Amino acid sequence: MNQFLLFVRKEFYHVFRDPKTLLLLFGMPIAQIILFGFALTNEIKNSTIVIADYANDIASHQIIEKLAASNNFEIQNQNLSHVEIEGAFKKGDIKLAIVFPANFNNDLLHTNNAQVQIIADASDPNTANTLTNYASTIIKDYQRELTGNIMAPLQINTNVRMIYNPELKGVFNFVPGVMALVLLLVCVLMTSVSIVREKESGTMEVLLVSPFNPILVIISKAVPYFFLSIINLTVILVLSTTLMGMPINGSIGLLYFESSLLILCALSLGLLISNSTDSQQAAMLISLMGMLLPVMMFTGFMFPLENMPTGLQLFANIVPSKWYYIAVKSIMIKGLGLSEIWRETLILAGMTAVLLTISNRKFKIRLS
Amino acid sequence: METDIVIKTEKLTKRFGDFIATNQITFDVQAGEIFGFLGANGAGKTTAMKMLCGLSTPTSGNATIAGFDIYRETEQIKKNIGYMSQKFSLYEDLTVLENINFFGGIYGLSKKRLSEKSESLIETLNMKELRKKLVGSLPLGWKQKLAFSVSILHEPKIVFLDEPTGGVDPVTRRQFWDLLYAAADRGITIFVTTHYMDEAEYCNRITMMVDGEIKALDTPKKLMQQYSSDSMDEVFYELARGAKRKAD
């Protein structure tokens, strides 16, 4: 036990004396959170739009006022003609145009069938979709206000409620993703590099010749990184709840439990990588290239998995962060408990067990 | 000299597929001896040493180290040997004292004994001012001397040194050998591989390995007589001439 503590202390010396490791360990999560939280958001704010108002009556004015009041839009010009709209799109500085035909108010009140045209620049389809949604929501809102006064016969009102994330905040999506990304990458990288470093420097041989149990060598390497990752996780959680208003609706204990599982899984993956190479550079490359892309692609926080071809969807199942991501979202946002996410938990635990078994076996082979 | 045999091998062989790294080597090493293990690069020295240390399992043959069997009693062997690898084997980002404490600690030395040991070690090596310095900042010769001293911190019966003086200047090498002699005087058996022939002459007995086999085993003096040459260099050339393996 004494020897074990000695080893763990030595491992902490390594970490704290290497500024690069420290930077990677604590700089990366902070940078990621800020990057994903603030810069990469899928909410669209202050898009410039133009309006061609042929009606110029009370209804069209009221809608335009509403559009102007929303912080999604900024009206550049509201007295354009049809032809001028095309020119504005071509110049590329507007994203959306709204056209009110003549007699808009009249049609609305007397025929119950008024038309508004929304034209979007679909060269960026996602933006176009989002913006048209924003605009039609505002127009429907106006309609609902009117029908409050005049009861129209036979009308279906769709009442949309965005549950769990009523403001459609992108942060809710990104924070669990960043947690998965950071924990997985940092842990895999740290363990694989630190074990390979010992091989490269020749100290691994000395350790294996000593009476110190080789399994303990591995465990005592994992302990400091486990500990540091938990601190890392805490930093991410504090940052995202205070700076970005990310809620933690479920149990914090359960959140840490699931994270511990992912960390263990990552540590055993790092161990596996360290067994298959003898150079630090190779270990670093395998960890970064081998992890970064699959984790970004298949966790589900950047690209929706549902839209992928079946083959890729199946592949996503072996990416541990996918399951972690689902579990963390359920805990933080929906406030669910273990009884709802037992499946994800079990899969993560299973992956860890398999990885540990393989790498443990491979490590023993290297001793012979 | 005592006649206790501390290393005894019998037809020890290691194959990697078709390649026979060491072929049926048989020799004895006596307690307190400085036993030189010589050969060109690729002759099988390191493989042989790794088997004796328990880092590698032999394909066939027998060996006992300090009276323990290398197949079944590796745990006891580990407690009785020290090892210094070909690569420099201390932590460069730990201080001199931290390295001593770490390696002493994993051999289970008590705090009290460790502090006594490290005091006398630092004294002998004249490193008083350097003890709080990171090992990475020391010159290579110092590192090697420190690494050797650390490898015998737990007073092992045998210490295995794999080309310990690679890249070190002749003066420092001489100092390093003074440390080896001092350790041998205390009764520690020293098993050392080298390809510096001047160092071979410092050994009590040497073996010469060529293509994985032992081609000669005797005191340097007798070998020189046998091959009627003035230096170990010539003996080495004489023996290695027939080598089929190319040095890598």
Side-chain angles (χ1 to χ4, degrees):
Chain A
M1 199 56 206
N2 245 338
Q3 280 135 298
F4 182 68
L5 290 179
L6 208 66
F7 205 109
V8 171
R9 193 177 64 189
K10 181 213 83 170
E11 219 52 47
F12 274 114
Y13 283 147
H14 288 324
V15 175
F16 289 121
R17 286 186 187 163
D18 184 10
K20 274 182 285 178
T21 313
L22 274 183
L23 189 68
L24 184 74
L25 200 60
F26 293 108
M28 188 156 113
I30 296 172
Q32 296 262 28
I33 281 288
I34 291 173
L35 199 68
F36 281 109
F38 289 117
L40 300 175
T41 160
N42 45 16
E43 290 166 70
I44 303 167
K45 287 178 186 156
N46 300 327
S47 304
T48 39
I49 62 170
V50 291
I51 290 165
D53 187 2
Y54 292 105
N56 209 357
D57 53 26
I58 180 153
S60 74
H61 284 172
Q62 277 171 346
I63 292 177
I64 291 168
E65 256 169 53
K66 274 179 164 294
L67 287 167
S70 117
N71 60 3
N72 296 116
F73 298 121
E74 202 157 297
I75 299 173
Q76 195 190 53
N77 193 330
Q78 44 178 294
N79 293 308
L80 289 185
S81 72
H82 239 107
V83 188
E84 286 166 324
I85 285 176
E86 206 186 335
F89 271 118
K90 277 189 178 153
K91 268 201 280 169
D93 46 6
I94 62 156
K95 299 279 177 216
L96 196 84
I98 297 173
V99 182
F100 295 97
N103 295 323
F104 179 66
N105 192 30
N106 243 346
D107 288 350
L108 186 65
L109 295 180
H110 302 295
T111 66
N112 254 331
N113 184 15
Q115 306 258 344
V116 184
Q117 189 181 28
I118 300 175
I119 308 165
D121 174 1
S123 51
D124 179 351
N126 284 333
T127 312
N129 251 328
T130 315
L131 287 180
T132 48
N133 275 338
Y134 289 156
S136 29
T137 311
I138 290 170
I139 294 165
K140 274 192 196 124
D141 241 26
Y142 175 72
Q143 187 193 349
R144 207 166 299 133
E145 278 168 27
L146 280 185
T147 50
N149 304 330
I150 311 152
M151 277 308 293
L154 295 175
Q155 196 177 17
I156 298 174
N157 274 325
T158 50
N159 181 357
V160 181
R161 240 185 93 220
M162 294 292 182
I163 56 170
Y164 302 125
N165 183 4
E167 295 161 71
L168 292 177
K169 277 193 178 172
V171 182
F172 283 31
N173 207 25
F174 282 126
V175 168
V178 170
M179 282 163 64
L181 183 72
V182 167
L183 289 183
L184 204 57
L185 267 184
V186 169
C187 289
V188 171
L189 197 65
M190 291 285 155
T191 22
S192 64
V193 168
S194 88
I195 293 175
V196 171
R197 188 193 290 143
E198 299 238 7
K199 284 204 226 172
E200 229 178 46
S201 69
T203 43
M204 188 54 101
E205 281 177 29
V206 177
L207 292 177
L208 293 180
V209 170
S210 82
F212 199 59
N213 188 335
I215 301 305
L216 277 184
V217 174
I218 298 305
I219 298 176
S220 39
K221 279 222 167 280
V223 168
Y225 292 116
F226 183 84
F227 186 73
L228 290 170
S229 299
I230 293 288
I231 296 182
N232 223 335
L233 175 69
T234 312
V235 170
I236 299 179
L237 287 179
V238 169
L239 273 182
S240 53
T241 45
T242 55
L243 281 182
M244 267 150 258
M246 179 80 193
I248 304 179
N249 291 325
S251 130
I252 293 189
L254 186 59
L255 187 59
Y256 272 87
F257 172 74
E258 296 289 336
S259 306
S260 307
L261 265 184
L262 184 77
I263 294 170
L264 279 181
C265 190
L267 291 177
S268 26
L269 206 57
L271 183 55
L272 193 64
I273 292 174
S274 73
N275 279 334
S276 46
T277 168
D278 282 332
S279 94
Q280 282 188 63
Q281 266 98 344
M284 210 175 288
L285 261 178
I286 298 175
S287 307
L288 274 180
M289 301 302 277
M291 303 305 301
L292 194 58
L293 209 60
V295 172
M296 289 279 229
M297 296 274 297
F298 298 114
T299 299
F301 74 105
M302 297 212 79
F303 311 103
L305 293 176
E306 291 79 3
N307 295 350
M308 291 184 184
T310 324
L312 291 183
Q313 283 195 38
L314 287 177
F315 178 79
N317 288 336
I318 64 164
V319 178
S321 53
K322 174 193 163 179
W323 304 104
Y324 174 74
Y325 177 69
I326 298 174
V328 165
K329 269 176 92 170
S330 310
I331 299 169
M332 291 180 83
I333 301 167
K334 299 186 189 168
L336 300 182
L338 190 59
S339 52
E340 279 91 2
I341 55 167
W342 62 269
R343 202 170 69 114
E344 286 78 15
T345 311
L346 215 60
I347 291 173
L348 266 181
M351 283 180 171
T352 310
V354 169
L355 285 172
L356 261 183
T357 318
I358 299 175
S359 46
N360 187 25
R361 188 167 300 164
K362 279 196 104 181
F363 188 73
K364 272 186 183 153
I365 290 170
R366 287 203 60 88
L367 281 180
S368 71
Chain B
M1 181 173 279
E2 300 165 57
T3 49
D4 288 355
I5 290 173
V6 287
I7 302 177
K8 186 178 179 60
T9 74
E10 213 176 304
K11 295 187 173 172
L12 202 60
T13 302
K14 178 80 185 185
R15 285 168 187 276
F16 296 105
D18 287 337
F19 180 71
I20 305 172
T22 57
N23 193 7
Q24 308 213 349
I25 56 172
T26 303
F27 62 88
D28 294 341
V29 180
Q30 275 150 11
E33 200 174 15
I34 300 184
F35 190 82
F37 212 60
L38 275 62
N41 289 337
K45 297 180 307 245
T46 300
T47 310
M49 179 177 269
K50 281 194 170 159
M51 285 192 283
L52 298 179
C53 294
L55 281 176
S56 165
T57 315
T59 315
S60 65
N62 289 311
T64 56
I65 308 292
F68 299 109
D69 184 83
I70 59 164
Y71 293 102
R72 288 175 288 107
E73 296 169 308
T74 47
E75 286 313 304
Q76 282 92 326
I77 291 178
K78 284 178 176 183
K79 287 185 189 130
N80 284 294
I81 62 171
Y83 176 75
M84 186 179 157
S85 82
Q86 203 166 6
K87 299 171 202 157
F88 174 66
S89 49
L90 296 176
Y91 293 102
E92 306 236 344
D93 54 347
L94 262 56
T95 66
V96 172
L97 214 54
E98 283 163 354
N99 264 296
I100 296 173
N101 286 334
F102 174 71
F103 283 105
I106 62 171
Y107 275 96
L109 263 60
S110 69
K111 269 221 171 74
K112 192 166 153 281
R113 218 162 93 87
L114 197 55
S115 73
E116 285 168 16
K117 276 266 166 198
S118 59
E119 275 310 308
S120 75
L121 191 155
I122 286 168
E123 192 87 13
T124 325
L125 292 182
N126 218 348
M127 287 179 125
K128 201 136 205 148
E129 278 91 59
L130 300 173
R131 55 207 243 268
K132 296 249 166 78
K133 278 250 175 4
L134 294 186
V135 165
S137 67
L138 302 180
L140 185 62
W142 285 96
K143 290 183 191 169
Q144 310 282 57
K145 283 189 274 185
L146 182 63
F148 172 71
S149 307
V150 166
S151 72
I152 56 165
L153 209 57
H154 58 294
E155 293 288 328
K157 290 211 172 87
I158 309 156
V159 61
F160 291 91
L161 311 172
D162 194 1
E163 290 180 15
T165 54
V168 175
D169 67 79
V171 177
T172 318
R173 228 157 71 200
R174 186 67 238 200
Q175 290 171 351
F176 187 84
W177 275 84
D178 287 341
L179 283 178
L180 295 196
Y181 279 119
D185 283 344
R186 293 213 303 274
I188 298 177
T189 308
I190 292 166
F191 186 101
V192 55
T193 71
T194 180
H195 47 222
Y196 291 113
M197 288 307 135
D198 58 328
E199 283 190 349
E201 291 173 39
Y202 302 154
C203 298
N204 299 131
R205 278 197 306 152
I206 52 171
T207 63
M208 197 70 96
M209 279 195 81
V210 177
D211 288 349
E213 287 173 34
I214 292 182
K215 280 282 165 7
L217 196 172
D218 219 324
T219 63
K221 214 177 203 165
K222 281 191 185 152
L223 281 178
M224 285 191 270
Q225 277 167 8
Q226 191 184 331
Y227 289 87
S228 48
S229 46
D230 304 326
S231 72
M232 281 308 297
D233 256 351
E234 288 175 32
V235 177
F236 182 76
Y237 281 123
E238 194 63 41
L239 281 162
R241 190 175 291 156
K244 289 182 193 70
R245 277 180 209 163
K246 286 281 166 278
D248 41 29

